[in-house]
Coordinates of all heavy atoms in Angstrom, one line a residue:
M359 N 33.2 -44.3 -46.0 CA 33.9 -45.4 -46.8 C 33.0 -46.7 -46.6 O 32.7 -47.0 -45.5 CB 35.2 -45.6 -46.4 CG 36.1 -46.6 -47.3 SD 37.8 -46.7 -46.8 CE 38.5 -47.7 -48.1
V360 N 32.7 -47.3 -47.8 CA 31.8 -48.4 -47.8 C 32.7 -49.7 -48.1 O 33.3 -49.7 -49.1 CB 30.6 -48.2 -48.7 CG1 29.9 -49.6 -48.7 CG2 29.8 -47.1 -48.4
F361 N 32.7 -50.6 -47.2 CA 33.2 -51.9 -47.5 C 32.3 -52.9 -48.0 O 31.5 -53.3 -47.4 CB 33.9 -52.4 -46.2 CG 34.9 -51.5 -45.6 CD1 34.6 -50.6 -44.5 CD2 36.1 -51.5 -46.0 CE1 35.4 -49.8 -44.0 CE2 37.2 -50.7 -45.4 CZ 36.7 -49.8 -44.4
E362 N 32.4 -53.1 -49.3 CA 31.4 -53.9 -50.0 C 31.9 -55.4 -50.1 O 31.0 -56.3 -50.2 CB 31.1 -53.5 -51.5 CG 30.5 -52.2 -51.5 CD 30.0 -51.7 -52.8 OE1 30.7 -52.4 -53.9 OE2 29.1 -51.1 -52.9
N363 N 33.1 -55.7 -49.9 CA 33.6 -57.0 -49.9 C 34.6 -57.3 -48.8 O 35.7 -57.5 -49.1 CB 34.3 -57.4 -51.3 CG 33.3 -57.7 -52.4 OD1 32.5 -58.5 -52.3 ND2 33.2 -56.9 -53.4
Q364 N 34.0 -57.3 -47.7 CA 34.8 -57.7 -46.5 C 34.9 -59.2 -46.4 O 34.0 -59.9 -47.0 CB 34.2 -57.1 -45.2 CG 34.1 -55.7 -45.4 CD 33.4 -55.1 -44.0 OE1 34.0 -54.8 -43.2 NE2 32.0 -55.1 -44.1
I365 N 35.8 -59.7 -45.7 CA 36.0 -61.1 -45.5 C 35.6 -61.5 -44.0 O 36.1 -60.9 -43.1 CB 37.4 -61.5 -45.9 CG1 37.8 -61.2 -47.2 CG2 37.5 -63.1 -45.7 CD1 37.0 -61.9 -48.3
C366 N 34.8 -62.6 -43.9 CA 34.5 -62.9 -42.7 C 35.6 -63.6 -42.0 O 36.3 -64.5 -42.6 CB 33.2 -64.0 -42.8 SG 32.9 -64.9 -41.2
D367 N 35.9 -63.2 -40.7 CA 37.0 -63.8 -40.0 C 36.9 -65.2 -39.7 O 37.9 -65.9 -39.5 CB 37.3 -63.1 -38.6 CG 37.8 -61.7 -38.8 OD1 38.4 -61.3 -39.9 OD2 37.6 -60.8 -38.0
R368 N 35.8 -65.7 -39.8 CA 35.5 -67.1 -39.3 C 35.3 -68.1 -40.5 O 36.1 -69.1 -40.5 CB 34.2 -67.3 -38.5 CG 33.9 -68.7 -37.9 CD 33.1 -68.6 -36.6 NE 33.8 -67.7 -35.5 CZ 33.3 -67.2 -34.6 NH1 32.0 -67.1 -34.5 NH2 34.0 -66.3 -33.7
C369 N 34.5 -67.8 -41.5 CA 34.4 -68.7 -42.6 C 35.2 -68.2 -43.8 O 35.2 -69.0 -44.8 CB 32.9 -68.8 -42.9 SG 32.1 -67.3 -43.6
H370 N 35.8 -67.0 -43.8 CA 36.6 -66.5 -44.7 C 35.9 -66.3 -46.0 O 36.5 -66.4 -47.1 CB 37.9 -67.4 -45.0 CG 38.6 -67.4 -43.6 ND1 39.2 -66.4 -43.0 CD2 38.8 -68.6 -42.9 CE1 39.8 -66.8 -41.9 NE2 39.6 -68.2 -41.8
R371 N 34.5 -66.1 -46.0 CA 33.7 -65.9 -47.2 C 33.5 -64.3 -47.2 O 33.3 -63.7 -46.2 CB 32.5 -66.6 -47.2 CG 32.6 -68.0 -47.7 CD 31.2 -68.6 -48.0 NE 30.6 -69.0 -46.6 CZ 30.4 -70.3 -46.2 NH1 31.0 -71.3 -46.8 NH2 29.7 -70.5 -45.1
P372 N 33.4 -63.7 -48.5 CA 33.1 -62.4 -48.7 C 31.7 -62.1 -48.1 O 30.9 -62.8 -48.2 CB 33.0 -62.1 -50.2 CG 33.7 -63.3 -50.7 CD 33.5 -64.5 -49.8
T373 N 31.7 -61.0 -47.4 CA 30.3 -60.6 -46.9 C 30.2 -59.0 -46.9 O 31.3 -58.3 -46.9 CB 30.2 -61.0 -45.4 OG1 29.0 -60.5 -45.0 CG2 31.4 -60.6 -44.5
V374 N 29.0 -58.5 -47.0 CA 28.7 -57.0 -47.1 C 28.8 -56.4 -45.6 O 29.2 -55.5 -45.4 CB 27.4 -56.7 -47.8 CG1 27.1 -55.4 -47.7 CG2 27.4 -57.2 -49.2
T375 N 28.2 -57.3 -44.7 CA 28.0 -56.8 -43.3 C 28.8 -57.8 -42.4 O 28.7 -59.1 -42.5 CB 26.5 -56.9 -42.9 OG1 25.8 -56.3 -43.8 CG2 26.3 -56.5 -41.5
R376 N 29.6 -57.2 -41.6 CA 30.3 -58.0 -40.6 C 29.9 -57.5 -39.1 O 29.7 -56.4 -39.0 CB 31.9 -57.8 -40.7 CG 32.4 -58.3 -42.0 CD 33.8 -58.7 -41.9 NE 34.6 -57.6 -41.4 CZ 36.0 -57.7 -41.1 NH1 36.5 -58.9 -41.3 NH2 36.6 -56.7 -40.7
I377 N 29.7 -58.5 -38.3 CA 29.2 -58.2 -36.9 C 30.3 -58.8 -35.9 O 30.8 -59.8 -36.1 CB 27.9 -58.9 -36.7 CG1 26.9 -58.7 -37.9 CG2 27.2 -58.8 -35.3 CD1 25.9 -59.7 -38.0
M378 N 30.3 -58.0 -34.9 CA 31.3 -58.6 -33.8 C 30.8 -59.9 -33.1 O 29.7 -60.0 -32.7 CB 31.6 -57.4 -32.6 CG 32.3 -57.8 -31.5 SD 34.1 -57.9 -31.9 CE 34.6 -56.2 -31.6
S379 N 31.8 -60.7 -33.2 CA 31.5 -62.1 -32.6 C 31.2 -61.8 -30.9 O 31.7 -61.0 -30.4 CB 32.7 -63.0 -32.7 OG 32.4 -64.2 -31.7
M380 N 30.3 -62.7 -30.3 CA 30.0 -62.7 -28.9 C 31.1 -63.6 -28.3 O 31.3 -63.4 -27.1 CB 28.6 -63.1 -28.6 CG 28.2 -62.9 -27.2 SD 28.4 -61.3 -26.5 CE 26.9 -60.4 -27.3
F381 N 31.8 -64.4 -28.9 CA 32.6 -65.4 -28.3 C 34.1 -64.8 -28.3 O 34.9 -65.1 -27.3 CB 32.7 -66.6 -29.1 CG 31.4 -67.5 -28.7 CD1 30.3 -67.2 -29.5 CD2 31.4 -68.4 -27.8 CE1 29.0 -68.0 -29.1 CE2 30.3 -69.2 -27.6 CZ 29.1 -68.9 -28.2
N382 N 34.5 -64.1 -29.2 CA 35.9 -63.5 -29.4 C 35.8 -62.2 -30.1 O 34.8 -61.6 -30.3 CB 36.8 -64.5 -29.9 CG 36.5 -65.0 -31.4 OD1 35.7 -64.3 -32.1 ND2 37.0 -66.2 -31.7
L383 N 36.9 -61.7 -30.7 CA 37.1 -60.5 -31.3 C 36.9 -60.6 -32.8 O 37.1 -59.5 -33.5 CB 38.4 -59.8 -30.9 CG 38.5 -59.5 -29.4 CD1 39.9 -59.0 -29.2 CD2 37.5 -58.7 -29.0
D384 N 36.4 -61.7 -33.4 CA 36.2 -61.8 -34.8 C 35.2 -61.0 -35.2 O 34.2 -60.7 -34.6 CB 35.9 -63.3 -35.1 CG 37.1 -64.2 -35.0 OD1 38.2 -63.7 -34.9 OD2 36.8 -65.4 -35.2
M385 N 35.3 -60.5 -36.5 CA 34.2 -59.7 -37.2 C 33.7 -60.8 -38.1 O 34.5 -61.3 -39.1 CB 34.8 -58.5 -37.9 CG 35.3 -57.5 -37.0 SD 34.0 -56.8 -35.8 CE 33.0 -56.0 -36.9
I386 N 32.5 -61.1 -38.0 CA 31.9 -62.3 -38.7 C 30.6 -61.9 -39.5 O 30.0 -60.9 -39.3 CB 31.5 -63.4 -37.7 CG1 30.5 -62.9 -36.7 CG2 32.8 -63.9 -37.0 CD1 30.0 -64.0 -35.7
C387 N 30.4 -62.7 -40.4 CA 29.2 -62.5 -41.3 C 27.9 -62.9 -40.6 O 27.9 -63.5 -39.6 CB 29.4 -63.2 -42.6 SG 29.2 -65.1 -42.5
P388 N 26.8 -62.5 -41.1 CA 25.5 -62.8 -40.5 C 25.2 -64.3 -40.3 O 24.6 -64.7 -39.3 CB 24.4 -62.2 -41.5 CG 25.2 -61.0 -42.0 CD 26.6 -61.4 -42.3
A389 N 25.7 -65.1 -41.4 CA 25.5 -66.5 -41.2 C 26.2 -67.1 -40.0 O 25.8 -68.0 -39.3 CB 25.9 -67.2 -42.6
C390 N 27.6 -66.7 -39.8 CA 28.3 -67.2 -38.7 C 27.7 -66.6 -37.3 O 27.7 -67.3 -36.4 CB 29.7 -66.7 -38.9 SG 30.7 -67.6 -40.1
K391 N 27.1 -65.4 -37.4 CA 26.5 -64.9 -36.2 C 25.3 -65.8 -35.9 O 25.1 -65.9 -34.6 CB 26.1 -63.4 -36.4 CG 25.5 -62.7 -35.2 CD 26.5 -62.5 -34.1 CE 26.0 -61.9 -32.9 NZ 26.9 -61.7 -31.8
E392 N 24.7 -66.2 -36.9 CA 23.5 -67.0 -36.5 C 23.8 -68.3 -36.0 O 23.2 -68.9 -35.2 CB 22.7 -67.3 -38.0 CG 21.4 -67.8 -37.8 CD 20.4 -67.0 -36.9 OE1 20.6 -65.8 -36.9 OE2 19.6 -67.7 -36.1
D393 N 25.0 -68.9 -36.4 CA 25.7 -70.1 -35.8 C 25.8 -69.8 -34.3 O 25.7 -70.7 -33.6 CB 26.8 -70.6 -36.6 CG 26.6 -71.1 -37.9 OD1 25.3 -71.6 -38.1 OD2 27.4 -71.3 -38.8
E394 N 26.4 -68.7 -34.0 CA 26.6 -68.5 -32.6 C 25.4 -68.3 -31.8 O 25.4 -68.9 -30.7 CB 27.3 -67.0 -32.5 CG 28.8 -67.0 -32.9 CD 29.5 -65.8 -32.5 OE1 28.9 -64.8 -32.1 OE2 30.8 -65.9 -32.5
R395 N 24.3 -67.8 -32.3 CA 23.1 -67.6 -31.6 C 22.5 -68.9 -31.3 O 21.9 -69.1 -30.2 CB 22.1 -66.8 -32.5 CG 22.4 -65.3 -32.4 CD 21.2 -64.6 -32.7 NE 21.5 -63.1 -33.0 CZ 21.7 -62.5 -34.1 NH1 21.5 -63.2 -35.2 NH2 21.9 -61.2 -34.3
K396 N 22.8 -70.0 -32.1 CA 22.3 -71.4 -31.9 C 23.3 -72.2 -31.2 O 22.9 -73.3 -30.7 CB 22.0 -72.0 -33.3 CG 20.7 -71.4 -34.1 CD 20.6 -72.1 -35.3 CE 21.7 -71.7 -36.3 NZ 21.1 -72.2 -37.8
H397 N 24.4 -71.6 -30.8 CA 25.4 -72.4 -30.1 C 25.0 -72.6 -28.5 O 24.5 -71.5 -28.0 CB 26.7 -71.6 -30.1 CG 27.9 -72.4 -29.7 ND1 28.2 -72.8 -28.4 CD2 28.9 -73.1 -30.5 CE1 29.3 -73.6 -28.4 NE2 29.7 -73.7 -29.7
P398 N 25.3 -73.7 -28.1 CA 24.7 -74.0 -26.6 C 25.5 -73.0 -25.6 O 25.0 -72.8 -24.6 CB 25.2 -75.4 -26.3 CG 26.0 -75.8 -27.4 CD 25.6 -75.0 -28.6
L399 N 26.7 -72.5 -25.9 CA 27.4 -71.7 -25.0 C 27.0 -70.1 -25.4 O 27.7 -69.3 -24.7 CB 28.9 -71.8 -25.2 CG 29.3 -73.2 -24.7 CD1 30.8 -73.4 -24.9 CD2 29.0 -73.3 -23.2
Y400 N 26.1 -69.9 -26.2 CA 25.9 -68.4 -26.5 C 25.4 -67.6 -25.4 O 26.0 -66.5 -25.1 CB 24.8 -68.3 -27.8 CG 24.7 -66.9 -28.2 CD1 25.6 -66.3 -28.9 CD2 23.5 -66.1 -27.8 CE1 25.4 -65.0 -29.4 CE2 23.3 -64.9 -28.2 CZ 24.3 -64.2 -29.1 OH 24.2 -63.0 -29.5
E401 N 24.6 -68.2 -24.6 CA 24.1 -67.5 -23.4 C 25.2 -67.3 -22.3 O 25.3 -66.1 -21.8 CB 22.9 -68.3 -22.6 CG 21.6 -68.1 -23.3 CD 21.1 -66.8 -23.4 OE1 21.2 -66.1 -22.3 OE2 20.7 -66.3 -24.5
L402 N 26.1 -68.2 -22.3 CA 27.2 -68.0 -21.4 C 28.2 -67.0 -21.9 O 28.7 -66.1 -21.0 CB 28.0 -69.4 -21.2 CG 29.3 -69.3 -20.4 CD1 29.0 -69.1 -19.0 CD2 30.1 -70.7 -20.6
A403 N 28.4 -66.9 -23.1 CA 29.3 -65.9 -23.7 C 28.6 -64.5 -23.4 O 29.4 -63.5 -23.2 CB 29.4 -66.1 -25.2
C404 N 27.3 -64.4 -23.6 CA 26.7 -63.1 -23.3 C 26.8 -62.8 -21.9 O 27.0 -61.6 -21.5 CB 25.1 -63.2 -23.7 SG 24.8 -63.3 -25.4
Q405 N 26.6 -63.8 -21.0 CA 26.6 -63.5 -19.5 C 28.1 -63.0 -19.1 O 28.1 -62.0 -18.4 CB 26.3 -64.7 -18.9 CG 26.4 -64.6 -17.4 CD 26.2 -66.0 -16.7 OE1 25.6 -66.9 -17.2 NE2 26.8 -66.2 -15.5
K406 N 29.2 -63.7 -19.6 CA 30.5 -63.3 -19.4 C 30.8 -61.9 -19.9 O 31.5 -61.1 -19.2 CB 31.4 -64.3 -20.0 CG 31.4 -65.6 -19.5 CD 32.0 -65.7 -18.0 CE 31.9 -67.1 -17.4 NZ 32.3 -67.1 -16.0
E407 N 30.2 -61.6 -21.0 CA 30.4 -60.3 -21.5 C 29.8 -59.2 -20.8 O 30.3 -58.0 -20.4 CB 29.8 -60.1 -22.9 CG 29.7 -58.8 -23.5 CD 30.5 -58.5 -24.7 OE1 31.3 -59.4 -25.1 OE2 30.6 -57.2 -25.1
R408 N 28.6 -59.5 -20.2 CA 27.9 -58.5 -19.2 C 28.7 -58.4 -18.0 O 28.8 -57.2 -17.4 CB 26.4 -59.0 -18.9 CG 25.4 -58.8 -19.9 CD 24.0 -58.8 -19.6 NE 23.8 -60.2 -19.1 CZ 23.4 -61.2 -19.8 NH1 23.0 -61.0 -21.1 NH2 23.1 -62.4 -19.3
E409 N 29.2 -59.5 -17.4 CA 29.9 -59.5 -16.3 C 31.3 -58.5 -16.4 O 31.6 -57.9 -15.5 CB 30.4 -61.0 -15.8 CG 29.2 -61.7 -15.2 CD 29.6 -63.2 -14.9 OE1 30.9 -63.5 -15.1 OE2 28.7 -63.9 -14.6
A410 N 31.9 -58.8 -17.5 CA 33.1 -58.0 -17.9 C 32.7 -56.5 -17.9 O 33.5 -55.7 -17.2 CB 33.6 -58.4 -19.3
L411 N 31.5 -56.1 -18.5 CA 31.2 -54.8 -18.6 C 30.9 -54.3 -17.1 O 31.3 -53.1 -16.7 CB 30.0 -54.6 -19.4 CG 30.1 -54.8 -20.9 CD1 28.8 -54.8 -21.7 CD2 31.0 -53.6 -21.5
Q412 N 30.2 -55.1 -16.3 CA 29.9 -54.6 -14.9 C 31.2 -54.4 -14.0 O 31.2 -53.6 -13.3 CB 29.0 -55.7 -14.2 CG 27.5 -55.6 -14.7 CD 26.9 -56.8 -14.4 OE1 27.2 -57.7 -13.7 NE2 25.6 -56.9 -14.9
R413 N 32.2 -55.2 -14.4 CA 33.5 -54.9 -13.8 C 34.3 -53.8 -14.3 O 35.4 -53.5 -13.9 CB 34.5 -56.2 -13.9 CG 33.9 -57.4 -13.0 CD 34.9 -58.3 -12.8 NE 35.7 -58.8 -14.1 CZ 35.3 -59.8 -14.8 NH1 34.3 -60.7 -14.4 NH2 35.9 -60.3 -15.9
G414 N 33.7 -53.3 -15.4 CA 34.4 -52.0 -15.9 C 35.4 -52.5 -17.0 O 36.4 -51.7 -17.5
V415 N 35.4 -53.9 -17.4 CA 36.3 -54.3 -18.4 C 36.0 -53.9 -19.8 O 34.9 -54.2 -20.2 CB 36.5 -55.8 -18.4 CG1 37.4 -56.3 -19.5 CG2 37.0 -56.2 -16.9
R416 N 36.8 -52.9 -20.5 CA 36.5 -52.7 -21.8 C 37.1 -53.7 -22.8 O 38.2 -54.1 -22.5 CB 36.8 -51.3 -22.1 CG 36.0 -50.2 -21.3 CD 36.5 -48.8 -21.6 NE 35.8 -47.9 -20.6 CZ 34.9 -47.0 -21.2 NH1 34.5 -47.1 -22.5 NH2 34.2 -46.2 -20.4
N417 N 36.6 -53.8 -24.0 CA 37.2 -54.7 -24.9 C 37.4 -56.1 -24.4 O 38.5 -56.7 -24.6 CB 38.5 -54.0 -25.4 CG 38.4 -52.7 -26.0 OD1 37.5 -52.5 -26.8 ND2 39.2 -51.8 -25.7
F418 N 36.4 -56.6 -23.8 CA 36.4 -57.9 -23.2 C 36.6 -58.9 -24.5 O 35.9 -58.8 -25.4 CB 35.0 -58.3 -22.6 CG 35.0 -59.7 -22.0 CD1 35.9 -60.2 -21.1 CD2 33.9 -60.5 -22.5 CE1 35.8 -61.5 -20.6 CE2 33.8 -61.8 -22.0 CZ 34.7 -62.3 -21.1
P419 N 37.6 -59.7 -24.4 CA 37.9 -60.5 -25.5 C 37.1 -61.7 -25.7 O 37.1 -62.4 -26.8 CB 39.4 -61.1 -25.1 CG 39.6 -61.0 -23.8 CD 38.6 -59.9 -23.3
G420 N 36.1 -62.0 -24.9 CA 35.2 -63.1 -25.0 C 35.7 -64.3 -24.4 O 36.9 -64.4 -24.0
I421 N 34.9 -65.4 -24.5 CA 35.2 -66.6 -23.8 C 36.0 -67.6 -24.8 O 36.6 -68.5 -24.5 CB 34.0 -67.4 -23.1 CG1 33.1 -67.8 -24.3 CG2 33.3 -66.5 -22.1 CD1 31.9 -68.6 -23.8
G422 N 36.1 -67.1 -26.1 CA 36.8 -68.0 -27.0 C 35.7 -68.6 -27.8 O 34.8 -69.2 -27.3
W423 N 36.0 -68.8 -29.2 CA 35.0 -69.5 -29.9 C 35.4 -71.1 -29.9 O 36.5 -71.3 -30.3 CB 35.1 -69.0 -31.4 CG 34.2 -69.8 -32.4 CD1 34.7 -70.5 -33.5 CD2 32.8 -70.0 -32.3 NE1 33.6 -71.1 -34.3 CE2 32.5 -70.8 -33.6 CE3 31.8 -69.6 -31.5 CZ2 31.2 -71.2 -33.8 CZ3 30.4 -69.9 -31.9 CH2 30.2 -70.8 -32.9
P424 N 34.5 -71.9 -29.4 CA 34.8 -73.3 -29.3 C 35.0 -74.0 -30.5 O 35.5 -75.1 -30.5 CB 33.6 -73.9 -28.5 CG 32.9 -72.7 -28.0 CD 33.2 -71.5 -29.0
A425 N 34.6 -73.4 -31.6 CA 34.8 -74.1 -32.9 C 34.2 -75.5 -33.1 O 34.8 -76.4 -33.6 CB 36.2 -74.0 -33.4
G426 N 33.1 -75.6 -32.5 CA 32.4 -77.0 -32.6 C 32.8 -78.0 -31.5 O 32.1 -79.0 -31.4
D427 N 34.0 -77.7 -30.7 CA 34.2 -78.5 -29.7 C 33.7 -78.0 -28.3 O 34.2 -77.0 -27.9 CB 35.7 -78.7 -29.6 CG 36.2 -79.7 -28.5 OD1 35.4 -80.1 -27.8 OD2 37.4 -79.8 -28.3
H428 N 32.6 -78.5 -27.9 CA 31.8 -77.9 -26.8 C 32.4 -78.5 -25.4 O 31.9 -78.1 -24.3 CB 30.4 -78.1 -26.9 CG 29.9 -77.6 -28.3 ND1 28.7 -78.3 -28.8 CD2 30.3 -76.7 -29.1 CE1 28.5 -77.7 -30.0 NE2 29.4 -76.9 -30.1
S429 N 33.3 -79.6 -25.4 CA 33.5 -80.3 -24.3 C 34.5 -79.7 -23.4 O 34.3 -79.8 -22.1 CB 33.9 -81.7 -24.7 OG 35.1 -81.6 -25.4
D430 N 35.4 -79.1 -23.8 CA 36.6 -78.7 -23.0 C 36.8 -77.3 -22.6 O 37.8 -76.8 -22.3 CB 37.9 -79.4 -23.4 CG 38.1 -78.7 -24.8 OD1 37.5 -77.9 -25.3 OD2 39.3 -79.2 -25.4
L431 N 35.7 -76.5 -22.8 CA 35.8 -75.2 -22.5 C 35.8 -74.9 -21.0 O 34.9 -75.2 -20.2 CB 34.5 -74.4 -23.1 CG 34.7 -72.8 -23.0 CD1 35.3 -72.3 -24.2 CD2 33.2 -72.3 -22.8
A432 N 36.9 -74.3 -20.4 CA 37.0 -74.1 -19.1 C 36.1 -72.9 -18.6 O 36.0 -71.9 -19.2 CB 38.5 -73.5 -18.8
D433 N 35.4 -73.2 -17.7 CA 34.5 -72.3 -17.0 C 35.2 -71.5 -15.9 O 35.0 -71.7 -14.8 CB 33.3 -73.0 -16.4 CG 32.3 -71.9 -15.8 OD1 32.3 -70.8 -16.4 OD2 31.3 -72.4 -15.2
S434 N 36.0 -70.6 -16.4 CA 36.9 -69.8 -15.3 C 36.1 -68.6 -15.0 O 35.5 -68.0 -15.7 CB 38.2 -69.6 -15.9 OG 38.1 -68.8 -17.1
Ligands
LIG1146 ZN1 31.2 -66.2 -41.7

């Protein structure tokens, strides 16, 4: 089954391809994924994902998408 008109969970625009967000469980379009890659917390998000995998945590929900607010993300 081919999904030709999926909706990006983040920008809510139609997209052919959806990619799992590194920050949360959103399925996002390539443009939003590119925004994530440029985000200052992207490396942290990747690191937390790796740590979760090393602890055997499956379906790690991510650190949460800061949505442009970078100041108050708790480093827990
Ligand atoms: Zn999008």
Side-chain angles (χ1 to χ4, degrees):
M359 189 170 185
V360 177
F361 298 96
E362 290 189 336
N363 278 302
Q364 304 175 93
I365 302 296
C366 171
D367 287 338
R368 185 152 302 155
C369 67
H370 304 294
R371 281 194 281 256
T373 177
V374 175
T375 306
R376 294 204 306 171
I377 307 156
M378 175 72 84
S379 167
M380 186 56 74
F381 286 82
N382 60 18
L383 298 178
D384 285 351
M385 295 300 292
I386 58 176
C387 69
C390 288
K391 185 66 186 178
E392 193 57 33
D393 283 347
E394 286 199 343
R395 287 205 187 93
K396 289 183 284 195
H397 196 281
L399 292 176
Y400 186 75
E401 281 300 315
L402 177 68
C404 292
Q405 183 190 326
K406 294 292 182 186
E407 169 111 2
R408 279 197 300 270
E409 287 175 5
L411 287 172
Q412 283 163 9
R413 292 199 308 269
V415 177
R416 291 172 186 257
N417 301 319
F418 179 60
I421 63 173
W423 175 239
D427 183 359
H428 311 151
S429 60
D430 62 2
L431 188 86
D433 186 20
S434 56

